[in-house]
Amino acid sequence: MLTREEILEIDRAISAVPYRKAACIEALKVVQTHRGWISDESLRTVAGYLEMSVDDLDSVATFYNLIFRKPVGRHVILLCDSISCWVMGYEQLRERLRDHLGIDYGETTADGRYTLLPNPCLGTCDCAPALMIDNDLYRKVTPEMLESILSKYL
Amino acid sequence: MPRIHIDHREYDVRPGRNLLETCLSLGFDLPYFCWHPALGSVGACRQCAVKAFANAEDTNGKLVMACMESVADGQRISIRDPQAVEFRENVIGWLMTNHPHDCAVCDEGGSCHLQDMTVMTGHAYRKFRFNKRTYRNQYLGPFLNHEMNRCIQCYRCVRFYKDYAGGHDLDAFASANRVYFGRSDDGVLENEFSGNLAEVCPTGVFTDKTLKQHYTRKWDLTSAPSVCVHCSVGCNTLAGERYGSLRLISNRYNGSVNGYFLCDRGRFGYEFVNVSSRIREPRIPVNTQGESWEEHVHKATEVFRGTRIVGIGSPRASLEANFVLSRIAGRGNFYHGVSSSEFELSKTASQILAKGTVPSLSLKDVEKCDVVVIWGEDVTNTAPMLALAVRQALRNRPMEKSIAANIPPWNDAATRERVQQERGPLVIGSYGTTRLDEVASMTFRASPGALSRVGCAVANQLDDAAPLAGTLDEEEQAVANEIVRVLRSARRPVIISGVSSGSMEVLQSAANMAEAVRRHNADTGLVLTFPACNSLGLALMEGRPFAELLHEEQDRRGTLIILENDLYRHADPRTVQKIVALFDHVIVIDHTWHETARNAQLVLPAGTFAESEGTFVNNEGRAQRYFQVYEPVNGIRESWRWLLTLGNALGVSQKGPWNSHDEIVRALAASADVFEPVMRVAPSANYRIYGQRIPRQPHRYSGRTAMSANRSVSEGKPPEDRDAPLSYTMEGTRLPPPSVAIPFFWWPGWNSVQSVAKYQDEVGGPLRGGDPGIRLLEPTSKAPLYFSVSAQKPPEVIVVPLHHIFGSEELSVLAPAIAERCPKPYLAAGPMTFGMHTADHGAVMRLEIHGRMLTLPVVVDPAMPKGVAGLPVGLPGMEYFELPASASVIMQLQNAE
Amino acid sequence: MEKPLTQHIRADGKPLSLNEYERVGGYSALRKVLSGMTPGDVLNVVKDSNLRGRGGAGFPTGLKWSFVPQDGPRPRYLICNADEMEPGTFKDRLLLECTPHQLIEGMIIAAFAIGADVSYVFLRWAYREAARIINVAIHEAQEAGYLGRNILGSGYDLAMHLHTGAGRYICGEETALLNSLEGKRAIPRAKPPFPQVSGLFGKPTIVNNVETLCCIPPIITHGAEWFRKLSLTSDAGTKIYGVSGKVKKPGAWELPMGVSLRELIEEYAGGMLDGHKFRGALPGGASTDFLVELDVKMDYSSVAAAGSRLGTGTVVVLDDRTCPVGFVRNLEQFFAQESCGFCTPCREGIPWIRNILTAMENGEGMPGDIDLLERHARGLGPGHTFCAFAPGAMEPLQSALRFFRDDFIRHIEEHTCPWREHPVNDHNSRGFVVPHLQTNYHAADTH
Ligand SMILES: Cc1cc2nc3c(=O)[nH]c(=O)nc-3n(C[C@H](O)[C@H](O)[C@H](O)COP(=O)(O)O)c2cc1C
Ligand code: SF4
Ligand code: FES
């Protein structure tokens, strides 16, 4: 079941395109924003609402790396792993996160607080290395800064 | 005609095609994967690279994908160019990085397009030294195996399943080199054409699960050209045998009929040939002695000699067998083994095709139509491949726009992107939901009476001369107007109807529509479906429906011969019992046990299509020959052969002596004008190519000397086929046989089904020498053939026949894989039919039809109009009811959960 | 120095509001267009201006617009490509976040020129701030009558929607972008037919980069000649250049087209970090060939003459304390990861390249590996793959093999990376799903 809020937001997306199906990526993001990830159940619900088959929708959903078809933690850390950040040493951030949180790419902390994912270039290469947590961008991050950044996300 | 240069030689080629199909048509071996002649090009695999040069001076050139380039006059390309050759080898190298190299244990091995292309490009050494990705496989139902690790990501499966066949539950998932083809989750592939994936997939990802249960390599199959027996479309098939069992049905290309595909009923229904309910030996009532089964039978039937002989023929038996039976029985004593209503409907349908003005269309013709009206049929369930053709026809109207935007139709992705969701007009008039509704521009769900009223009104609006059948209400009038509108807009309209609706009014009103449209548009076509593979053939023969035996003088007893028929599927049990009781002796010739056979005194085991030869007339009116795949063992004989034996034994003189199939065909052809062309459907048994027969076994057939070594080490003499120009061994001509007699597609370098191209005039065109089959019926009349349909007062509840691709057909449902997909008996009803609160999903109802009681769970079909209910036809465990019929007493036994 | 794109940008990096933008002359170009210019007039000015697309390929913008068939079907679409995901590129973010109305004004003018009815901004998901800003700006523009029905009383209607993506670099490829906007997998489309003829929803469509569209209002206001003269070379206008890597002051600046790479790095970026030497640079993002000379004018033709492409004009610097093989490995890892998976060479070839480079980095390179890499660089060239993604991915590889060949050989011969302390932690060699949380289709591990 979609919530009223979700339906409202999905309908808005539908109004911007010529047919329902075309709004499917937006609809998935709406549901993901509210629920954290796209479970099989959510997938079926959205597919039904957009009058498309579950397979059709899953085909689209699994193409995009920011649609999560598996559960994630309360906060998703997107660590830029592209060239400028690599040159500027993002690998140290990854090591530090692994030591600190005990998770590597694709993993979620046992307390369900963080999920760590690599992400292509965040478009802030002059301030490398960079990472995003949820909707917030952090630039020129050093391993030392990580702890205090993370502490903001409960 | 464009003139192009390939490796410095000039060729005149057909315009409007792409370079790949052009090169293949010219006979070049150019490798490819993602392109498919029926699916067009998308340019994904990059395998078909050639060098293109800007002009005669250009010596550098650039690589292009042949499948993505239109031919153009003056074009210069090279297939042999070293850079192109290197690139094509590289492509295989890339495809192979993750391929498991498991040919030895792969069902595709030996008929694998990937193997062929690998050899063709010369890729022989593996340079990739890293880990392969591995996938999880899925359970996809009883028809197909899934082995994703073999996938080369050509995207053909989704393009066929989703884009071409309209499936919803197979797709591409994930991305990059993790792309996965399958379902969102494990489960049965629902689409009725899923089996084609086994042929469409160029490697072993999707393979035939039924074959796996008795696996045989292509090179070890003894094969013959055959014709599907599971509906009236008559798709051409290749049937392969080993060790006395039928192992595989695959597509036999026929450009006019089934093209490259088959439906799942046709592909997987074959196992009825192998099941334990086969009749394998004659059942003879008295202790007889004899050397051979023939002698036994001869002795056993001596007592019948001199009695009156009555024959009941069959819509699933060949023309030849029916013909021999009709001659043994003699004039007036040959009956059609179909219900009286089916008899009238089939006769009428055959008259529409022969005496009307509208030609019946082949599936190929249907694909070219731009407006489709389906009247009273659920074609996906009654003539599945017709539904597939309709889906393609719906692309024509919108495609005019993409063509106008200079997008050639072979450019598949671009065409679909341009066309988006648009489809040409499809109007479906039906009793309830049909599988094609999802692509219909308009659906009209109605009772038979309302369908015929609207049909006649449409005809009348188009041509005053067409009679009306009652007055329309407002909704009906709107529907009629819309149909008239779309028909008037058509370039090539087709009206589809048939016998499966069970309703004469519906059939006749559809014919009226077609006749009336034809007044406006000479390109109008008609397609009528029939219940069985040779229904039309039988309908073209003389005779009456067998139920009329009841009305004959009761004292003329005698011998009843029932040919390939379970009468209980064509009449209610009391009627059948009464008819059978009229005779002293009852002989059944059939291949599978059923109620009729169990109650006969003498039962003779008939060959199935795989163990006999014969001719069927499909719904188009096309006579098609099928050939014996293997010699049956024990007492199994072709029906016609048993009939000859019986004729001799009973002392009935035919106009014979007929000893061979050819002789019967000749007599059949002479018996009526309509059958005259049957002579020319296939070459006679004497036909040879440079003195040689056409081998049923490929030249790589293995183990011949060993296969019967458990019985005897000396190799027995192979059986000789006296009825066909084919041999049962690998000996024979290596030249391509005439199109009707191709036992397998195989060409040097092309071991897979893709070798079909080598047998065609040009890629996707007719087979060399013309597509097999001869049409027996062409419209003869200049004046329209209109029927006056009488408006009848509808009963309160009318029960109509419903059909299931998996279940309604007698033989295929014996195949375990098909049986798994067969629904349980039920009663379908609209939400309004039995009153809203009573008819709920799952409620158990008791109703009376024709004085017989029936208790069934209800399935609610929201599309069914008030006053209509439906009964699935032919499901195992369901008795015969003549439908449509009124249902009177209704009682609810149990509420829905 | 004139900076028509960035001159009004606020020092605090906050976006110019509608009022602020109007106060500095914003939307006057649009008014000029709608009060008397025909679409043909606009097209001619843009053609004359010699504006070339800033999305990476440098295709002449006016020419592209002229391919829209005037009798073609409707609706027509204008799309702003704001998917900026090319590694090393951060120029569009600047414009999106700081001067949203200039983009919107440019879009409206462009839409008017091609007769578009609907326009979309296709914005990558990660630009959260930009999404908020553009949304506000579209809303403001609507309220002010610059968007919607009968714009400024001209009778011209245009709807504008913001679409944010769901990840994946290939969405920036214009035809993949179209599929993504249609709610499909972002697989590129074959060309022809070009989007101008059959684009979004099968209708005529123009896709332009953010920076390209931001150039339009000043071109209309000041004229084609003025725009051409902004440049130091034959390619017109200014360009937003950027530098990242081990330089003292990485950043982005609007400069006349044609400044030299040397000026960019030594002056604007303040030179190399102490103790680091310049070894080479990607002049315009991850899919361009290395330049190892500094005296190259940064315009389309000069960079091409030097054997690379201007691309996005955002420079990524390779220094002497960074391993060139590791550098290329990182790029190829990106490309392997981001391939859409449609065509064979790209889907299978790039992961193979990545694997070879990983092996080299981990001291497991083998003789013959360089040949294999070269064979791939040739094999994945332009026209061989379905879209320009893979040829782009080959550019840094092929040029690295030329300029830093000795480093590749050293990796193989010394069985180690001279720069690296720990082996590459390559999640791709441990199974493919892990980083993506997408599917259950894969076996846990590779074999
Ligand atoms: C793989 C790939 C990624 C691309 N990504 C972008 C992008 O993120 N933003 C962009 O403006 N253009 C991108 N492009 C270029 C676009 O395809 C297209 O050429 C451009 O948006 C056209 O705009 P322009 O003419 O204004 O440059 C990409 C091209 C390729 C092949
Ligand atoms: S069942 Fe009918 S449609 Fe299917 S393959 Fe057989 S003849 Fe063809
Ligand atoms: S057949 Fe041409 S690219 Fe696949």
Side-chain angles (χ1 to χ4, degrees):
Chain A
M1 273 272 289
L2 294 168
T3 63
R4 283 236 337 257
E5 231 180 331
E6 287 169 334
I7 289 180
L8 221 65
E9 290 170 43
I10 294 175
D11 283 351
R12 202 177 311 134
I14 292 173
S15 72
V17 285
Y19 47 83
R20 295 178 84 79
K21 235 168 104 160
C24 73
I25 297 172
E26 198 56 41
L28 288 168
K29 284 190 309 181
V30 166
V31 172
Q32 181 164 297
T33 308
H34 291 277
R35 310 180 187 187
W37 66 294
I38 305 293
S39 65
D40 289 353
E41 157 89 58
S42 307
L43 189 79
R44 274 192 295 275
T45 310
V46 174
Y49 192 68
L50 297 178
E51 291 158 18
M52 60 200 291
S53 83
V54 175
D55 300 76
D56 210 358
L57 183 61
D58 204 14
S59 167
V60 176
T62 55
F63 184 90
Y64 295 95
N65 58 312
L66 293 175
I67 306 282
F68 306 140
R69 286 287 282 112
K70 288 183 183 168
V72 291
R74 291 193 295 284
H75 306 288
V76 176
I77 306 170
L78 297 177
L79 180 62
C80 176
D81 67 349
S82 288
I83 191 65
S84 305
C85 289
W86 178 79
V87 170
M88 302 309 285
Y90 93 84
E91 284 181 344
Q92 289 166 24
L93 302 183
R94 179 180 175 186
E95 297 307 313
R96 178 61 74 98
L97 285 169
R98 199 173 55 181
D99 293 346
H100 186 69
L101 302 175
I103 51 170
D104 203 344
Y105 291 160
E107 293 169 358
T108 301
T109 51
D111 58 359
R113 193 163 161 196
Y114 306 106
T115 296
L116 177 63
L117 290 173
N119 199 73
C121 181
L122 289 171
T124 183
C125 318
D126 50 343
C127 302
L131 58 80
M132 274 179 92
I133 303 184
D134 301 342
N135 289 334
D136 310 327
L137 177 67
Y138 294 91
R139 313 174 196 231
K140 294 193 183 169
V141 183
T142 61
E144 295 70 43
M145 291 159 65
L146 281 174
E147 222 159 308
S148 79
I149 294 177
L150 287 172
S151 66
K152 289 191 249 170
Y153 298 88
L154 303 171
Chain B
M1 214 185 226
R3 173 165 294 186
I4 68 172
H5 304 251
I6 303 176
D7 286 312
H8 307 298
R9 280 191 54 188
E10 281 184 356
Y11 300 88
D12 290 326
V13 299
R14 263 263 303 270
R17 311 204 115 201
N18 67 53
L19 266 179
L20 174 58
E21 51 194 359
T22 303
C23 290
L24 293 173
S25 294
L26 289 171
F28 288 99
D29 284 347
L30 185 56
Y32 61 85
F33 288 109
C34 62
W35 173 82
H36 182 286
L39 306 178
S41 310
V42 292
C45 73
R46 317 307 279 178
Q47 184 61 72
C48 62
V50 296
K51 203 56 151 324
F53 302 94
N55 50 46
E57 284 73 50
D58 179 8
T59 51
N60 291 329
K62 60 170 189 166
L63 286 190
V64 297
M65 298 308 130
C67 72
M68 296 299 282
E69 297 286 319
S70 286
V71 294
D73 197 39
Q75 198 168 37
R76 292 169 181 276
I77 62 162
S78 168
I79 297 173
R80 294 201 307 247
D81 174 89
Q83 200 197 345
V85 169
E86 185 201 58
F87 183 78
R88 293 197 299 261
E89 199 225 307
N90 279 346
V91 172
I92 295 282
W94 287 316
L95 291 175
M96 284 301 191
T97 55
N98 288 300
H99 189 80
H101 295 98
D102 60 341
C103 307
V105 296
C106 174
D107 288 3
E108 195 83 355
S111 53
C112 176
H113 187 58
L114 178 58
Q115 283 180 331
D116 289 348
M117 299 300 100
T118 304
V119 173
M120 190 178 289
T121 61
H123 178 79
Y125 293 98
R126 182 173 177 76
K127 300 186 190 82
F128 183 78
R129 66 172 191 277
F130 302 99
N131 290 343
K132 296 175 188 178
R133 74 158 128 48
T134 45
Y135 290 113
R136 206 172 63 74
N137 299 321
Q138 290 180 327
Y139 166 78
L140 299 177
F143 297 153
L144 290 169
N145 267 313
H146 193 222
E147 178 48 73
M148 250 312 284
N149 288 328
R150 298 182 185 133
C151 178
I152 55 163
Q153 277 83 12
C154 69
Y155 287 77
R156 270 183 172 193
C157 53
V158 264
R159 292 180 55 226
F160 170 77
Y161 194 90
K162 225 177 130 176
D163 299 347
Y164 193 91
H168 300 297
D169 55 347
L170 180 93
D171 227 313
F173 300 94
S175 59
N177 69 345
R178 306 175 296 270
V179 184
Y180 185 89
F181 297 88
R183 290 173 39 101
S184 177
D185 215 339
D186 288 45
V188 176
L189 282 176
E190 296 288 344
N191 189 273
E192 296 82 3
F193 306 97
S194 67
N196 293 300
L197 294 176
E199 292 190 42
V200 164
C201 173
T203 171
V205 178
F206 299 97
T207 52
D208 184 332
K209 206 177 217 172
T210 67
L211 170 66
K212 194 168 204 70
Q213 282 147 21
H214 40 212
Y215 183 68
T216 307
R217 295 240 178 251
K218 178 178 180 178
W219 67 66
D220 281 342
L221 287 172
T222 302
S223 303
S226 197
V227 173
C228 181
V229 297
H230 302 300
C231 86
S232 67
V233 175
C235 297
N236 292 196
T237 59
L238 295 171
E241 168 266 4
R242 188 158 170 104
Y243 296 126
S245 73
L246 196 60
R247 304 286 168 110
L248 173 70
I249 292 289
S250 55
N251 169 273
R252 176 162 64 99
Y253 180 85
N254 182 326
S256 306
V257 185
N258 48 301
Y260 291 90
F261 306 118
L262 291 178
C263 77
D264 288 355
R265 183 200 274 182
R267 186 181 299 273
F268 302 110
Y270 72 94
E271 293 237 63
F272 80 88
V273 172
N274 302 327
V275 294
S276 57
S277 56
R278 275 295 297 276
I279 305 171
R280 297 196 185 273
E281 285 184 2
R283 187 172 81 186
I284 296 173
V286 286
N287 256 338
T288 55
Q289 278 158 14
E291 287 283 294
S292 66
W293 284 113
E294 277 75 6
E295 280 178 36
H296 277 285
V297 170
H298 210 279
K299 295 242 170 68
T301 49
E302 263 166 11
V303 287
F304 305 175
R305 203 179 269 245
T307 60
R308 176 179 81 130
I309 293 171
V310 168
I312 299 180
S314 170
R316 63 167 163 85
S318 65
L319 280 182
E320 292 86 332
N322 278 304
F323 173 70
V324 175
L325 178 60
S326 76
R327 291 304 131 123
I328 290 175
R331 194 168 279 273
N333 283 327
F334 179 68
Y335 291 84
H336 292 196
V338 298
S339 71
S340 301
S341 77
E342 183 180 324
F343 176 87
E344 296 301 335
L345 281 158
S346 296
K347 264 279 186 271
T348 305
S350 73
Q351 276 160 10
I352 293 168
L353 298 183
K355 306 226 168 78
T357 66
V358 189
S360 81
L361 300 188
S362 68
L363 294 193
K364 181 85 180 174
D365 296 330
V366 172
E367 286 181 3
K368 292 185 192 137
C369 291
D370 66 336
V371 169
V372 183
V373 174
I374 301 179
W375 215 236
E377 286 274 317
D378 180 358
V379 287
T380 315
N381 285 308
T382 59
M385 284 293 287
L386 177 57
L388 196 60
V390 167
R391 282 182 185 271
Q392 310 322 309
L394 301 186
R395 301 189 61 210
N396 292 329
R397 178 69 73 80
M399 206 134 75
E400 286 165 17
K401 286 186 206 155
S402 61
I403 291 169
N406 280 326
I407 303 170
W410 53 255
N411 192 344
D412 188 56
T415 299
R416 290 181 194 275
E417 280 144 11
R418 175 70 185 79
V419 164
Q420 297 276 315
Q421 328 251 53
E422 276 180 65
R423 281 185 214 98
L426 163 64
V427 177
I428 300 180
S430 66
Y431 300 144
T433 304
T434 77
R435 287 282 287 107
L436 283 177
D437 291 356
E438 60 185 23
V439 290
S441 52
M442 185 176 79
T443 52
F444 173 53
R445 281 71 173 255
S447 65
L451 284 172
S452 69
R453 259 197 313 280
V454 171
C456 289
V458 168
N460 177 266
Q461 279 193 46
L462 291 163
D463 179 7
D464 294 342
L468 281 169
T471 44
L472 311 190
D473 67 22
E474 216 168 289
E475 189 211 339
E476 291 167 356
Q477 189 59 54
V479 171
N481 293 347
E482 172 63 10
I483 299 177
V484 169
R485 190 187 68 76
V486 298
L487 284 174
R488 279 188 195 276
S489 76
R491 222 169 10 86
R492 295 169 68 105
V494 58
I495 313 289
I496 296 175
S497 189
V499 172
S500 319
S501 68
S503 161
M504 185 64 89
E505 324 165 71
V506 170
L507 174 66
Q508 292 179 337
S509 70
N512 284 2
M513 274 196 276
E515 293 285 344
V517 190
R518 174 84 177 174
R519 303 294 102 209
H520 295 267
N521 187 336
D523 285 331
T524 304
L526 179 66
V527 179
L528 300 178
T529 72
F530 292 81
C533 56
N534 198 27
S535 291
L536 181 50
L538 181 65
L540 295 173
M541 297 186 137
E542 283 180 15
R544 302 292 309 150
F546 73 95
E548 292 191 6
L549 279 165
L550 274 184
H551 313 309
E552 294 214 336
E553 298 161 58
Q554 301 287 308
D555 54 347
R556 294 185 54 206
R557 305 186 70 83
T559 302
L560 176 64
I561 305 177
I562 303 170
L563 169 66
E564 299 190 32
N565 208 325
D566 179 6
L567 299 182
Y568 289 91
R569 293 181 67 89
H570 301 278
D572 65 78
R574 294 241 334 262
T575 306
V576 177
Q577 283 151 12
K578 271 200 238 164
I579 289 172
V580 172
L582 293 175
F583 293 89
D584 298 320
H585 314 288
V586 176
I587 304 174
V588 166
I589 304 174
D590 208 343
H591 42 70
T592 309
W593 285 111
H594 42 62
E595 201 58 18
T596 310
R598 271 189 284 275
N599 293 322
Q601 287 100 328
L602 182 66
V603 180
L604 300 176
T608 61
F609 72 93
E611 299 134 323
S612 54
E613 53 286 291
T615 309
F616 294 144
V617 183
N618 79 349
N619 71 317
E620 180 199 349
R622 180 183 292 263
Q624 303 196 99
R625 177 69 46 82
Y626 59 96
F627 292 89
Q628 196 168 49
V629 184
Y630 55 104
E631 282 265 288
V633 289
N634 299 338
I636 298 173
R637 305 280 182 274
E638 299 95 320
S639 293
W640 60 263
R641 205 182 288 281
W642 273 131
L643 284 164
L644 292 184
T645 306
L646 279 181
N648 287 335
L650 297 172
V652 190
S653 71
Q654 315 123 18
K655 294 230 178 61
W658 301 329
N659 288 311
S660 69
H661 182 257
D662 278 345
E663 283 165 359
I664 297 170
V665 169
R666 228 171 290 144
L668 168 73
S671 71
D673 285 350
V674 69
F675 293 128
E676 189 277 329
V678 174
M679 282 279 289
R680 281 170 280 120
V681 169
S684 75
N686 303 326
Y687 176 87
R688 296 290 181 273
I689 297 175
Y690 293 112
Q692 289 190 296
R693 284 176 179 268
I694 301 155
R696 284 180 172 88
Q697 292 173 349
H699 55 297
R700 305 235 175 91
Y701 193 87
S702 67
R704 173 156 98 190
T705 53
M707 48 197 306
S708 55
N710 57 339
R711 276 169 276 135
S712 159
V713 289
S714 72
E715 192 188 334
K717 187 174 179 304
E720 189 168 322
D721 193 341
R722 287 188 294 123
D723 300 297
L726 288 89
S727 79
Y728 285 108
T729 65
M730 53 212 276
E731 281 79 21
T733 181
R734 293 278 160 257
L735 293 169
S739 65
V740 66
I742 298 171
F744 45 77
F745 294 104
W746 205 321
W747 204 265
W750 298 79
N751 301 288
S752 82
V753 290
Q754 313 279 330
S755 54
V756 166
K758 300 289 185 185
Y759 292 76
Q760 294 165 329
D761 271 342
E762 55 172 351
V763 164
L767 291 171
R768 291 227 175 85
D771 284 322
I774 299 183
R775 283 167 65 102
L776 303 184
L777 301 173
E778 297 297 345
T780 48
S781 165
K782 293 257 180 313
L785 173 73
Y786 286 127
F787 294 92
S788 295
V789 183
S790 55
Q792 275 157 14
K793 196 180 155 339
E796 200 173 325
V797 174
I798 188 164
V799 181
V800 296
L802 303 177
H803 299 268
H804 285 277
I805 176 172
F806 307 124
S808 290
E809 194 268 328
E810 181 184 3
L811 302 178
S812 56
V813 79
L814 299 170
I818 300 277
E820 225 181 296
R821 301 284 308 276
C822 173
K824 294 254 170 342
Y826 65 92
L827 175 74
M832 303 293 289
T833 298
F834 299 123
M836 267 308 270
H837 17 273
T838 47
D840 228 347
H841 209 80
V844 175
M845 302 291 286
R846 192 166 167 80
L847 68 159
E848 186 186 318
I849 304 175
H850 291 311
R852 282 188 287 150
M853 295 305 261
L854 200 60
T855 306
L856 289 169
V858 171
V859 168
V860 175
D861 176 356
M864 266 195 182
K866 188 170 164 52
V868 179
L871 213 51
V873 185
L875 300 188
M878 282 203 74
E879 281 184 3
Y880 174 83
F881 284 90
E882 182 168 324
L883 301 174
S886 69
S888 32
V889 182
I890 292 153
M891 180 168 44
Q892 185 171 342
L893 293 184
Q894 192 186 308
N895 286 329
E897 286 114 50
Chain C
M1 193 171 7
E2 286 192 86
K3 296 184 177 176
L5 302 180
T6 58
Q7 59 186 340
H8 302 301
I9 283 181
R10 293 165 53 124
D12 63 2
K14 293 251 159 54
L16 279 192
S17 68
L18 179 61
N19 280 340
E20 290 168 317
Y21 183 62
E22 282 175 331
R23 234 177 292 133
V24 295
Y27 287 104
S28 62
L30 177 63
R31 287 178 194 280
K32 180 172 171 187
V33 165
L34 293 183
S35 56
M37 288 178 83
T38 64
D41 296 339
V42 178
L43 178 64
N44 284 335
V45 177
V46 173
K47 266 190 182 163
D48 276 356
S49 76
N50 220 354
L51 172 64
R52 294 177 65 170
R54 307 297 197 231
F59 193 83
T61 304
L63 188 60
K64 188 195 265 189
W65 293 3
S66 71
F67 296 145
V68 174
Q70 282 314 298
D71 53 353
R74 287 191 169 272
R76 284 178 214 149
Y77 296 99
L78 175 92
I79 296 169
C80 167
N81 188 343
D83 194 55
E84 188 165 74
M85 223 184 285
E86 177 88 8
T89 304
F90 48 99
K91 67 183 183 74
D92 294 342
R93 182 200 279 271
L94 178 76
L95 297 170
L96 289 160
E97 289 183 356
C98 298
T99 173
H101 280 289
Q102 184 156 344
L103 172 63
I104 291 171
E105 186 182 8
M107 284 178 70
I108 303 169
I109 297 171
F112 176 78
I114 62 161
D117 308 277
V118 183
S119 60
Y120 294 93
V121 179
F122 189 105
L123 184 70
R124 68 175 294 191
W125 181 88
Y127 283 7
R128 306 308 296 157
E129 186 61 11
R132 198 185 54 74
I133 291 167
I134 295 290
N135 247 334
V136 170
I138 291 179
H139 189 72
E140 285 175 336
Q142 253 152 5
E143 296 287 293
Y146 296 126
L147 280 172
R149 299 211 157 269
N150 192 15
I151 297 171
L152 300 177
S154 65
Y156 176 60
D157 304 337
L158 180 71
M160 187 177 290
H161 307 286
L162 172 68
H163 173 97
T164 51
R168 300 208 58 88
Y169 166 68
I170 194 64
C171 293
E173 198 284 335
E174 61 178 359
T175 57
L177 182 152
L178 298 178
N179 277 335
S180 192
L181 258 186
E182 289 183 13
K184 298 176 179 155
R185 297 161 62 82
I187 305 291
R189 298 177 176 181
K191 298 189 255 190
F194 290 92
Q196 294 92 310
V197 176
S198 176
L200 187 65
F201 301 111
K203 301 298 196 304
T205 303
I206 286 289
V207 181
N208 274 133
N209 172 253
V210 173
E211 189 184 348
T212 314
L213 289 163
C214 284
C215 291
I216 303 295
I219 290 175
I220 296 295
T221 305
H222 304 293
E225 196 190 339
W226 166 85
F227 186 74
R228 287 200 307 271
K229 286 196 173 146
L230 290 176
S231 158
L232 306 174
T233 68
S234 58
D235 292 329
T238 57
K239 175 83 192 78
I240 299 188
Y241 293 102
V243 177
S244 65
K246 300 252 161 105
V247 292
K248 289 208 176 86
K249 292 189 297 174
W253 316 274
E254 183 181 6
L255 299 169
M257 182 71 82
V259 295
S260 74
L261 182 59
R262 181 179 298 283
E263 273 173 281
L264 271 181
I265 291 178
E266 293 182 354
E267 284 178 33
Y268 295 97
M272 299 300 293
L273 279 183
D274 292 335
H276 294 71
K277 285 207 201 80
F278 174 85
R279 281 200 76 190
L282 305 176
S287 15
T288 54
D289 287 273
F290 279 100
L291 290 178
V292 288
E293 299 297 329
L294 283 166
D295 293 310
V296 178
K297 282 188 200 146
M298 291 286 281
D299 66 31
Y300 295 99
S301 24
S302 311
V303 181
S308 183
R309 288 188 309 119
L310 179 61
T312 61
T314 42
V315 178
V316 186
V317 175
L318 169 69
D319 60 278
D320 64 337
R321 287 166 69 173
T322 299
C323 170
V325 176
F327 190 100
V328 178
R329 195 210 81 86
N330 177 276
L331 295 172
E332 299 306 330
Q333 156 57 24
F334 163 81
F335 287 114
Q337 182 76 49
E338 293 303 314
S339 164
C340 80
F342 189 61
C343 77
T344 307
C346 175
R347 182 187 62 244
E348 311 292 348
I350 302 179
W352 192 346
I353 294 170
R354 189 258 333 272
N355 288 352
I356 294 173
L357 295 170
T358 306
M360 286 183 174
E361 280 287 88
N362 290 345
E364 292 156 6
M366 285 176 39
D369 277 355
I370 292 180
D371 280 353
L372 260 177
L373 291 175
E374 275 174 339
R375 197 174 154 108
H376 274 88
R378 268 201 315 279
L380 275 68
H384 300 189
T385 54
F386 193 74
C387 80
F389 175 101
M394 291 309 100
E395 291 181 19
L397 175 68
Q398 73 199 8
S399 49
L401 285 170
R402 184 150 32 108
F403 297 127
F404 314 119
R405 197 178 190 86
D406 289 346
D407 295 300
F408 285 82
I409 294 172
R410 258 184 84 187
H411 277 74
I412 297 173
E413 287 180 349
E414 296 173 15
H415 296 291
T416 181
C417 169
W419 284 271
R420 214 172 222 296
E421 285 166 25
H422 308 291
V424 177
N425 183 0
D426 179 7
H427 50 271
N428 286 282
S429 62
R430 299 201 321 262
F432 291 80
V433 235
V434 184
H436 278 282
L437 302 181
Q438 288 163 342
T439 65
N440 289 315
Y441 301 127
H442 302 81
D445 232 302
T446 52
H447 295 289

